[in-house]
Amino acid sequence: MAEIRIRPARTSDVHGIKELVAPMAAERILITKDTVTYYESIQEFVVAEDESGTLVGCGALHVMWEDLAEVRTLATSPAARGHGVGTRMLRELMARAERLGVSRVFCLTFEVGFFAAHGFEVMANQETIPAEVFGELLRSHDEGVAEFLDLARVKPNTLGNTRMIRSLSPGA
């Protein structure tokens, strides 16, 4: 694959991100979002672009709590798959998590092998969370938080993916 650059996303990337997500959403691998949602969260995204400036990948890191974030919308174009683009974006998102002081990163995925190769483990049925934090997280309207908490209300919408988590080294 040609030279790929990973960079923070810009508002002008939203339509390219939607194009990357669309075929994966059609296969029920990712959930499609409204355009406004991508704009509202653009600062969470990184993109991978080739030498012509074409987007070949995207991914986001969404902070959920003081010590917890979620990798979201990690997608690559069919041509970029198998060339390390997803790995490079995931490494950048994990570095962001470390810089923010997050100690655990969560994901919902069908790509269990990919995430396991990057240190993620399948989550226990109920991740241990202090009661006061659980109560605060219940106030969130974010579906990713509901998935993390394994709330019954998200069960009908679950795509059948796997909840995984990775702990980051302190001070890494």
Side-chain angles (χ1 to χ4, degrees), residues 25-157:
E27 294 178 43
R28 296 186 44 88
I29 295 169
L30 291 177
I31 296 173
T32 191
K33 297 176 182 145
D34 293 325
T35 302
V36 68
T37 303
Y38 288 112
Y39 282 115
E40 289 173 340
S41 60
I42 197 67
Q43 69 281 356
E44 297 179 354
F45 277 84
V46 297
V47 294
E49 65 181 3
D50 65 16
E51 68 279 353
S52 71
T54 301
L55 295 189
V56 296
C58 64
L61 181 76
H62 179 77
V63 174
M64 300 167 84
W65 196 253
E66 177 182 8
D67 64 339
L68 181 66
E70 178 185 7
V71 170
R72 293 182 171 180
T73 321
L74 190 63
T76 56
S77 69
R81 290 190 192 123
H83 294 282
V85 175
T87 293
R88 289 183 55 201
M89 288 187 301
L90 182 58
R91 284 182 184 149
E92 175 57 32
L93 295 172
M94 299 305 285
R96 279 185 175 193
E98 289 173 353
R99 287 190 301 270
L100 290 169
V102 171
S103 61
R104 296 178 299 160
V105 178
F106 159 76
C107 70
L108 287 167
T109 187
F110 288 104
E111 301 295 334
V112 173
F114 172 82
F115 281 96
H118 292 88
F120 284 77
E121 297 176 349
V122 175
M123 285 176 58
N125 284 343
Q126 185 59 46
E127 185 73 12
T128 304
I129 304 168
E132 65 276 3
V133 173
F134 187 88
E136 289 289 333
L137 288 173
L138 282 175
R139 294 184 179 131
S140 175
H141 297 285
D142 187 277
E143 289 301 304
V145 172
E147 289 281 4
F148 174 78
L149 296 174
D150 203 24
L151 299 179
R153 72 176 174 83
V154 295
K155 297 287 188 224
N157 299 322

Side-chain angles (χ1 to χ4, degrees), residues 153-164:
R153 72 176 174 83
V154 295
K155 297 287 188 224
N157 299 322
T158 300
L159 298 174
N161 43 18
T162 301
R163 299 163 65 234
M164 299 183 79

